[in-house]
Amino acid sequence: MADTIEALVPGGEATPGPPLGPELGPTPVDVQAVVQEINDQTAAFDGTEVPVTISYEEDGSFEIEVGVPPTAELIKDEAGFDTGSGEPADEFVADLSVDQIQQIAEQKHPDLLSYDLENAAKEVVGTCTSLGVTIDGENPREFKQKIDDGEYDDLFADEAHA
């Protein structure tokens, strides 16, 4: 590729305005086509800031690589809060459902060191622990133990092996 542009865009809500427009304007790419593809690829992140890299050639062809927001940002966005607890072991700022944990784990799994969805979910639960977020009303440490005990094996079955 001839050159690259990196930007943070709101998932599914990129526009030809800043930050993309001024960067893409002088390039040979169709700005509207780039914006549309970014929105298609980032729709699942629904307004959360997502890192994107646009690689383009002089003939106007382009490729888009979409990164994944940090796990803490996905949790905060899903639970609707801005700042984690100052005392996450004692004071909880939000509660997520098991389905929300599964959704975040699926979004984040490609970027995590986990081999499967169950371990990706455990990493998400670990971030919940440090932010002060409960899962279905219980302490995230207790929830992780339930995952370890196999209570959620069906829910977190890795789709690649299912």
Side-chain angles (χ1 to χ4, degrees), residues 49-135:
E49 293 287 311
V50 180
V52 295
T53 302
I54 304 136
S55 303
Y56 63 90
E57 294 282 353
E58 290 305 316
D59 66 2
S61 62
F62 63 90
E63 290 180 16
I64 296 171
E65 183 179 319
V66 177
V68 180
T71 305
E73 290 303 314
L74 294 173
I75 291 169
K76 288 192 248 182
D77 184 57
E78 190 67 30
F81 67 94
D82 294 324
T83 308
S85 173
E87 297 181 35
D90 301 315
E91 293 179 22
F92 300 102
V93 295
D95 185 59
L96 291 177
S97 69
V98 176
D99 290 338
Q100 288 172 306
I101 296 295
Q102 179 187 21
Q103 177 185 339
I104 294 168
E106 287 171 353
Q107 288 177 330
K108 197 67 184 163
H109 185 229
D111 276 6
L112 297 175
L113 299 174
S114 312
Y115 292 113
D116 57 28
L117 188 59
E118 180 178 306
N119 284 304
K122 287 184 201 178
E123 288 191 44
V124 172
V125 170
T127 304
C128 287
T129 302
S130 63
L131 289 172
V133 175
T134 56
I135 297 128

